Amino acid sequence: MPAELIKLYEENPERVKIDAVVDVLRSGGVIIYPTDTVYGIGCDFTNAKAVERVCKINGVKPQNLSFICYDLSEISSYVKQLSTPIFKVMKKALPGPFTFILNSNSSVPKILNAKKKTVGIRVPNNNIARSIVKELGNPIITSSIHDEDDLIEYSTDPSLIFEKYVNLVDLVIDGGYGGNIPSTVIDCSNDEFDVIREGLGDIQQYI
C-alpha cells in the first residue's frame, strides 16, 4: 500500500494524528518524520523486522542507527550510568541538535548493537518527534533522509520526500521544510567530549 501523508504543526501537534502515527509504529510500520535538524526515517526500536526495513530502505547497518528519545530519563534506560560531567552537559544541551554516543546496556535490542557496545542517542528539539516517542513509550530507531542531489545532502521538502518514499514506507509526516545540516555527533563513551561530526549544534556552549 502507498504511504499516507499526514500534516502536523510543531507548535501544537494534534493528539489524534500523533495517535495514528503511533499505531503505525506499533504495527511494525516505518515512518518519515521531522526533527530539529534533518528529516529522519524510523520505526519502533523493539520491532526487528521494522528495523531491518529501515536499514534496507536507507542502506545502513543496524549498528549505525540512533535512538530518538523523549528526555534524559528515557536515555538512562538504555545506557550505562553516565558520569556527572557528561550528565550535566547533556542536561543543558538537550533537547537539541546533538547525537551523543554512549555506552549501551543490556536493554538495547541485540540487533542494534551486535559487536558494538555503544549507541547514538538523540533528544531533538522538535515537538512532533518527541510527542511521538512519548506516546509510543520507547525510542524510535532512526537514520537521516539523504538527497541524491550532489549539492544538497539532505532532503528538505516533505512533498518531494513523500513522492520518493511513497512506495517504500508506511507514513510520511509533513512538518514543514526540514533543515539541511545534521546533528553534531559527540562520542562520550570514554567520558570525554570527542566531536566526530560537526553539525548544527555547538557543544562548546555547554561544556
Side-chain angles (χ1 to χ4, degrees), residues 54-80:
V54 169
C55 291
K56 184 177 181 181
I57 292 167
N58 230 31
V60 295
K61 295 180 179 180
Q63 304 95 292
N64 295 330
L65 299 169
S66 298
F67 286 13
I68 297 287
C69 293
Y70 177 70
D71 57 16
L72 267 177
S73 63
E74 186 174 34
I75 289 174
S76 65
S77 300
Y78 307 105
V79 302
K80 293 181 179 178

Side-chain angles (χ1 to χ4, degrees), residues 8 11 26 53 66 75 86 119 127 143 154 157 173 191 200-201:
L8 279 168
E11 297 78 17
R26 286 180 176 154
R53 276 184 67 198
S66 298
I75 289 174
I86 299 293
V119 64
N127 287 331
S143 178
Y154 298 95
D157 186 334
I173 297 172
D191 276 344
L200 188 61

Side-chain angles (χ1 to χ4, degrees), residues 45 61-69 74-80 82 86 90 98-122 139-142 185-190 196:
F45 90 140
K61 295 180 179 180
Q63 304 95 292
N64 295 330
L65 299 169
S66 298
F67 286 13
I68 297 287
C69 293
E74 186 174 34
I75 289 174
S76 65
S77 300
Y78 307 105
V79 302
K80 293 181 179 178
L82 301 174
I86 299 293
M90 290 180 66
F98 300 96
T99 299
F100 288 95
I101 308 297
L102 304 168
N103 293 308
S104 58
N105 64 26
S106 58
S107 297
V108 175
K110 287 183 171 53
I111 188 174
L112 303 179
N113 64 350
K115 300 180 181 178
K116 194 176 179 185
K117 297 180 179 179
T118 59
V119 64
I121 297 287
R122 283 216 65 203
I140 295 173
I141 200 76
T142 191
V185 180
I186 305 148
D187 188 349
C188 299
S189 59
N190 294 315
I196 58 177

Side-chain angles (χ1 to χ4, degrees), residues 3-187:
E4 182 181 0
L5 181 65
I6 289 182
K7 177 70 178 178
L8 279 168
Y9 296 93
E10 189 197 347
E11 297 78 17
N12 187 24
E14 295 175 57
R15 177 62 184 270
V16 173
K17 291 183 178 180
I18 292 293
D19 288 344
V21 175
V22 170
D23 286 344
V24 169
L25 290 169
R26 286 180 176 154
S27 64
V30 173
I31 70 169
I32 292 175
Y33 61 98
T35 71
D36 54 351
T37 55
V38 301
Y39 267 82
I41 179 171
C43 66
D44 184 337
F45 90 140
T46 65
N47 191 304
K49 287 186 177 180
V51 173
E52 290 172 359
R53 276 184 67 198
V54 169
C55 291
K56 184 177 181 181
I57 292 167
N58 230 31
V60 295
K61 295 180 179 180
Q63 304 95 292
N64 295 330
L65 299 169
S66 298
F67 286 13
I68 297 287
C69 293
Y70 177 70
D71 57 16
L72 267 177
S73 63
E74 186 174 34
I75 289 174
S76 65
S77 300
Y78 307 105
V79 302
K80 293 181 179 178
Q81 187 169 358
L82 301 174
S83 68
T84 299
I86 299 293
F87 178 82
K88 284 183 176 179
V89 169
M90 290 180 66
K91 188 174 182 180
K92 287 187 286 185
L94 298 176
F98 300 96
T99 299
F100 288 95
I101 308 297
L102 304 168
N103 293 308
S104 58
N105 64 26
S106 58
S107 297
V108 175
K110 287 183 171 53
I111 188 174
L112 303 179
N113 64 350
K115 300 180 181 178
K116 194 176 179 185
K117 297 180 179 179
T118 59
V119 64
I121 297 287
R122 283 216 65 203
V123 180
N125 187 19
N126 181 284
N127 287 331
I128 295 172
R130 293 183 69 217
S131 295
I132 293 167
V133 171
K134 185 177 183 180
E135 186 62 26
L136 181 63
N138 56 252
I140 295 173
I141 200 76
T142 191
S143 178
S144 299
I145 293 291
H146 288 265
D147 199 289
E148 294 168 357
D149 190 294
D150 291 335
L151 297 177
I152 303 172
E153 186 174 358
Y154 298 95
S155 302
T156 60
D157 186 334
S159 62
L160 295 179
I161 292 172
F162 179 69
E163 287 180 15
K164 180 178 178 180
Y165 290 92
V166 64
N167 293 311
L168 296 173
V169 303
D170 301 288
L171 186 146
V172 176
I173 297 172
D174 178 354
Y177 273 83
N180 195 36
I181 303 175
S183 63
T184 294
V185 180
I186 305 148
D187 188 349

